[in-house]
Amino acid sequence: MEREGTGINNILAPGGGALWRTSVLAKHFATQEEARGASSTTTSSGSLRRSACLEYASPESNSERPAFDKEEMRCLLDGHNIPERNFMFNLMASSELFQAKKVGNTVFLSPDYNQTMEEQRDVTLARILFLREKGVFKGWLTDRTQESDLKRSALFESFGIFDHSLAIKLGVHIHLWGGAIQFFGTKRHHDKWLQQTEDYIVRGCFAMTELGHGSNVRGIETLTTYDPQTEEFIINTPCESAQKYWIGGAAKHATHTVVFSQLSINGRNEGVHAFICQLRDAEGHVCPGIRIADCGHKIGLNGVDNGRIWFDHVRIPRENLLNSVADVTPDGQYESAIKDPDQRFGAFMAPLTSGRVTIAVSAVYQAKLGLATAIRYGLTRRAFSLSPEEPEVLLLDYPSHQHRLLPLLAKTYAMSFAALDLKKLYVRRTPADSKTIHVLSSGLKAMLSWHGIRTLQECREACGGQGLKTDNRVGPAKAEYDVQLTFEGDNNVLMQQVSKALLGDYFAAQRKGKPLEGLGLEHMNGPSPVIPFVLDRNTLRNKNFQSALFQLRERNLLELLSAKVKKLLSKGLSMTDAVIASYQLAEHLGVAFSERTVLESILAAEELQMAGPLKDVLGLLRSLYMLSAVDEGPAFLRYGYLSPAQSQLIAEEVSALCAELRPQALNLVNSFGIPHSLLGPIASDWIEYNSWENV
């Protein structure tokens, strides 16, 4: 399996990365000398050597053989439904609807980002109809088993690798519209709407966000009243800021929507409720009393037809109130088993939790797409010679190039395990898990979507000018996924929500005189971790040290936030205002909680493995994830968890880890299981792709 003198054990050895780089460069030098010896000429002014045109060499020729089982690694990362993922990749490859270009014998699968907005919308719909005809959506809403939910999730992740617009347009229809009917509806709604939704006969959208209110759903202004004479609800847009905005599917294709609106019964506002309303008839004409306008061209995601909606006293049947949380009797009496308005409002936010879980998972897959392209390109593209007589050096053999990509690769691995854990917790959830899922999904949605965008940007830059070409996907992917930082909750606001939840549990435990339980905070019940003053390589890579440092940061930030909030409360501020005034501490705490959660996920995955190469490489990835997070995180120096000298040692260890992982970089990105046809052309033979015949 391994070449003599290489492999994961030798890479782990002190100086192993440097020795490996030296051997690679020596091999390059020898190859170039042979070529020069065959083509050199002499002139009176000295020796001139003619260089042949650069010839493409595959990433595999510039990498070591896998030191671990790539298929086993992929099974760990994806976690479930590998055959279904492969089936979907093959199904997309079978249709010209998904094929962007063919060069030689290679077919590239990709959206055409150079199409007009209208063309992108039309082809996205055509792809959905193709998938429907192939029976892909069967059971997505009518089969309520955990196995069906995981299969659906696997297929959505496959769609997302191909095109975010396809995943989002389907996600709005299935997860948001369909999910709202499942969550908020009762049997009458399930019987009437779910099968038609699954068959894509009814095409749904989700009208929550308004021009004037996005994150603050409680403040939306759309108003619904009830007419007991006709047993109808009347939905109205009372002012311009109440127009429904950014509603995916509304501009062109949706036939129905779930409308979130304030419900007024007998002059009393009962808060936000959800209603089914038809938007278009069978011929596609907009229904009376409804006005729809386009949101226009966006920086990305133009395959989704986002629209704006106004309601002019639109009447709907009483049965169109989604009534699992609350109902209105025929004579106009309001009924709800949930008496507390805050708890009732919280029940209506359930679909957003599903959305946050989905965003966290999809962000990791986009990071994988960018890294697979950029690292493969870095293993084939050369730039600059160390001296005039030496060959040009591979990009990924430069320590600076390793440092810009390999920590992101390690973070993507760690976050992949965290996203998988979150998804499985959500699929297998019980009512007792609701708070944990809310806090975890808020923190990981923010952290992983920030990571996804940062990774795509770094990969775009690492690909140089080729990163600017839409064909190579990395640049457009950044624009396509930028919205993840905003929808289903602004990331900074979500991190503050995480901190509020942690703070609430901390205060409650102090009041009751009981230990902390849940959200992974049990570590705070014991003594505070002590960080050794003298740090060496073994300590820095030790899982107990890594956990202790992350726990120390989280513990101290929670104590600091608690003290500051208590001080502000004593001055008369409300809890909300006190947390807002402490926003920097709150955001640092949200990040600390999320990064500690991710560390625990990759540790759990690592500890399940038997001793051997797979476990070894996971240990390297875990150490690089953790130490690069420390190296980049301001809290460790700002709050004194590390000294400047200790911080410098950690920075040096990050570079050492990058060098050790370099020989396995290709095998790590190949373990993502993304077919090469779905990567940018620069991930393969980019010289052939850019030949004259292809211009």
Side-chain angles (χ1 to χ4, degrees):
M1 284 292 292
E2 297 177 356
R3 299 178 187 173
E4 185 177 355
T6 62
I8 197 70
N9 293 325
N10 291 309
I11 297 166
L12 282 166
L19 291 172
W20 186 86
R21 290 202 307 278
T22 302
S23 70
V24 169
L25 289 172
K27 183 171 64 175
H28 298 331
F29 299 160
T31 303
Q32 283 287 344
E33 283 303 317
E34 291 173 7
R36 286 170 175 164
S39 61
S40 62
T41 60
T42 305
T43 70
S44 58
S45 61
S47 178
L48 297 178
R49 294 186 173 93
R50 184 179 65 217
S51 294
C53 287
L54 178 67
E55 293 184 2
Y56 174 79
S58 70
E60 287 75 13
S61 67
N62 293 313
S63 298
E64 291 301 322
R65 294 175 182 175
F68 56 90
D69 188 316
K70 292 186 292 182
E71 284 302 314
E72 189 177 353
M73 184 69 89
R74 185 193 175 188
C75 290
L76 284 179
L77 289 170
D78 282 337
H80 59 91
N81 296 96
I82 305 295
E84 286 78 8
R85 296 170 194 269
N86 293 337
F87 162 79
M88 184 50 56
F89 292 143
N90 292 330
L91 181 61
M92 290 190 290
S94 72
S95 170
E96 291 184 355
L97 282 169
F98 298 86
Q99 297 173 5
K101 191 175 290 186
K102 185 175 182 180
V103 179
N105 295 321
T106 304
V107 175
F108 291 96
L109 307 179
S110 171
D112 184 352
Y113 298 110
N114 300 313
Q115 290 180 316
T116 66
M117 181 177 71
E118 286 301 316
E119 288 171 332
Q120 290 186 58
R121 290 175 174 183
D122 289 345
V123 76
T124 301
L125 177 63
R127 288 166 182 150
I128 291 174
L129 296 176
F130 168 82
L131 295 171
R132 179 186 68 179
E133 294 308 309
K134 296 298 182 181
V136 170
F137 309 149
K138 184 177 180 181
W140 276 18
L141 290 169
T142 54
D143 183 353
R144 302 295 297 276
T145 63
Q146 293 180 5
E147 291 76 13
S148 179
D149 286 348
L150 287 171
K151 177 183 176 181
R152 182 178 68 190
S153 177
L155 295 180
F156 262 103
E157 288 150 24
S158 303
F159 299 150
I161 292 172
F162 170 77
D163 179 29
H164 196 208
S165 287
L166 175 61
I168 291 298
K169 190 171 178 68
L170 264 177
V172 168
H173 174 72
I174 295 292
H175 291 141
L176 295 182
W177 155 267
I181 292 170
Q182 284 183 327
F183 280 118
F184 305 145
T186 51
K187 187 176 186 302
R188 71 182 189 223
H189 304 107
H190 300 163
D191 292 345
K192 182 175 181 179
W193 300 104
L194 290 183
Q195 188 64 61
Q196 291 190 77
T197 298
E198 190 176 286
D199 293 339
Y200 208 61
I201 296 168
V202 166
R203 300 174 186 176
C205 61
F206 189 81
M208 177 180 279
T209 299
E210 297 179 356
L211 177 63
H213 292 91
S215 296
N216 181 18
V217 178
R218 197 189 293 266
I220 62 175
E221 298 172 286
T222 299
L223 182 63
T224 297
T225 56
Y226 181 69
D227 182 354
Q229 302 301 318
T230 61
E231 297 186 15
E232 293 174 315
F233 289 104
I234 305 168
I235 305 175
N236 191 49
T237 303
C239 55
E240 280 303 313
S241 58
Q243 63 179 272
K244 294 297 181 181
Y245 210 99
W246 292 125
I247 312 306
K252 193 169 184 179
H253 298 139
T255 61
H256 293 71
T257 189
V258 170
V259 184
F260 285 80
S261 169
Q262 304 289 348
L263 174 60
S264 178
I265 298 293
N266 299 320
R268 174 174 172 163
N269 185 2
E270 299 291 353
V272 175
H273 290 66
F275 305 84
I276 293 174
C277 180
Q278 187 168 353
L279 297 178
R280 293 179 172 89
D281 61 22
E283 286 73 42
H285 301 127
V286 176
C287 296
I290 291 174
R291 183 160 59 96
I292 296 177
D294 207 305
C295 286
H297 197 273
K298 307 181 290 290
I299 64 172
L301 211 64
N302 283 302
V304 178
D305 49 318
N306 293 91
R308 302 179 283 151
I309 311 173
W310 292 258
F311 302 91
D312 185 4
H313 298 91
V314 175
R315 289 178 173 264
I316 60 172
R318 184 181 69 89
E319 291 76 17
N320 282 21
L321 168 66
L322 293 172
N323 64 336
S324 68
V325 175
D327 207 350
V328 174
T329 63
D331 63 349
Q333 301 305 308
Y334 182 79
E335 298 177 340
S336 177
I338 305 175
K339 302 306 179 183
D340 186 319
D342 290 336
Q343 292 181 5
R344 200 158 60 228
F345 174 74
F348 281 114
M349 295 299 100
L352 296 184
T353 300
S354 169
R356 288 168 187 162
V357 172
T358 302
I359 291 168
V361 174
S362 69
V364 172
Y365 279 93
Q366 293 319 299
K368 291 178 181 178
L369 180 72
L371 286 164
T373 299
I375 286 176
R376 288 181 64 86
Y377 185 59
L379 286 164
T380 64
R381 179 62 185 252
R382 299 177 180 278
F384 302 104
S385 299
L386 300 182
S387 75
E389 298 301 317
E390 294 180 351
E392 292 186 276
V393 180
L394 283 172
L395 294 182
L396 204 61
D397 283 335
Y398 284 104
S400 60
H401 208 78
Q402 295 170 12
H403 204 147
R404 73 190 307 183
L405 292 179
L406 298 188
L408 295 174
L409 177 62
K411 290 179 181 181
T412 299
Y413 261 80
M415 293 177 188
S416 189
F417 291 119
L420 179 61
D421 287 346
L422 173 63
K423 175 172 52 177
K424 289 185 174 180
L425 175 63
Y426 181 77
V427 167
R428 298 164 182 167
R429 66 193 179 278
T430 66
D433 297 321
S434 58
K435 179 180 178 180
T436 299
I437 292 171
H438 168 70
V439 177
L440 282 173
S441 66
S442 296
L444 292 181
K445 182 269 181 184
M447 181 183 175
L448 273 57
S449 61
W450 271 328
H451 168 74
I453 290 299
R454 179 194 167 190
T455 300
L456 288 169
Q457 177 63 26
E458 197 64 53
C459 290
R460 204 291 300 155
E461 294 182 41
C463 292
Q466 291 294 329
L468 298 175
K469 288 172 63 73
T470 55
D471 284 0
N472 290 324
R473 302 205 60 192
V474 180
K478 180 173 177 289
E480 291 287 302
Y481 282 83
D482 197 290
V483 68
Q484 290 187 322
L485 279 65
T486 302
F487 65 23
E488 311 293 4
D490 176 88
N491 283 356
N492 290 288
V493 174
L494 290 178
M495 281 303 188
Q496 291 183 40
Q497 286 187 11
V498 170
S499 294
K500 285 179 68 175
L502 301 180
L503 194 62
D505 282 6
Y506 185 64
F507 283 161
Q510 286 185 324
R511 283 197 307 270
K512 298 174 183 178
K514 294 184 177 180
L516 278 161
E517 293 182 358
L519 299 177
L521 295 177
E522 289 83 358
H523 69 85
M524 295 192 62
N525 297 321
S528 181
V530 177
I531 304 303
F533 180 75
V534 177
L535 300 179
D536 57 21
R537 169 167 293 184
N538 290 334
T539 302
L540 292 175
R541 299 186 183 195
N542 182 277
K543 63 184 180 181
N544 295 324
F545 162 78
Q546 293 169 1
S547 295
L549 184 55
F550 269 11
Q551 290 172 1
L552 174 64
R553 173 182 53 162
E554 183 181 26
R555 178 192 196 109
N556 184 251
L557 287 172
L558 183 50
E559 291 170 347
L560 288 173
L561 180 62
S562 169
K564 185 170 182 180
V565 166
K566 284 181 177 178
K567 184 176 180 180
L568 293 172
L569 290 174
S570 69
K571 295 181 178 180
L573 269 68
S574 67
M575 174 64 79
T576 298
D577 288 341
V579 173
I580 290 173
S582 311
Y583 73 95
Q584 280 191 317
L585 270 174
E587 289 177 15
H588 282 316
L589 175 58
V591 170
F593 167 83
S594 302
E595 289 186 341
R596 188 260 303 161
T597 299
V598 170
L599 178 62
E600 290 175 353
S601 286
I602 190 172
L603 262 173
E606 179 187 346
E607 289 173 353
L608 287 174
Q609 307 309 308
M610 300 290 289
L614 191 67
K615 190 181 187 77
D616 290 341
V617 78
L618 285 173
L620 281 177
L621 291 163
R622 180 249 305 158
S623 290
L624 183 52
Y625 155 69
M626 185 272 172
L627 294 176
S628 61
V630 173
D631 189 35
E632 298 164 9
F636 293 95
L637 283 174
R638 179 178 298 177
Y639 301 106
Y641 311 133
L642 293 171
S643 70
Q646 290 173 321
S647 180
Q648 180 61 35
L649 285 172
I650 287 173
E652 292 170 1
E653 194 59 27
V654 167
S655 296
L657 283 162
C658 289
E660 290 179 39
L661 278 168
R662 152 60 179 103
Q664 293 299 316
L666 176 65
N667 304 314
L668 288 167
V669 296
N670 284 349
S671 298
F672 294 156
I674 303 175
H676 294 172
S677 58
L678 280 161
L679 302 176
I682 54 172
S684 301
D685 190 340
W686 43 272
I687 295 180
E688 178 190 24
Y689 186 82
N690 285 285
S691 67
W692 178 260
E693 290 78 7
N694 185 40
V695 172

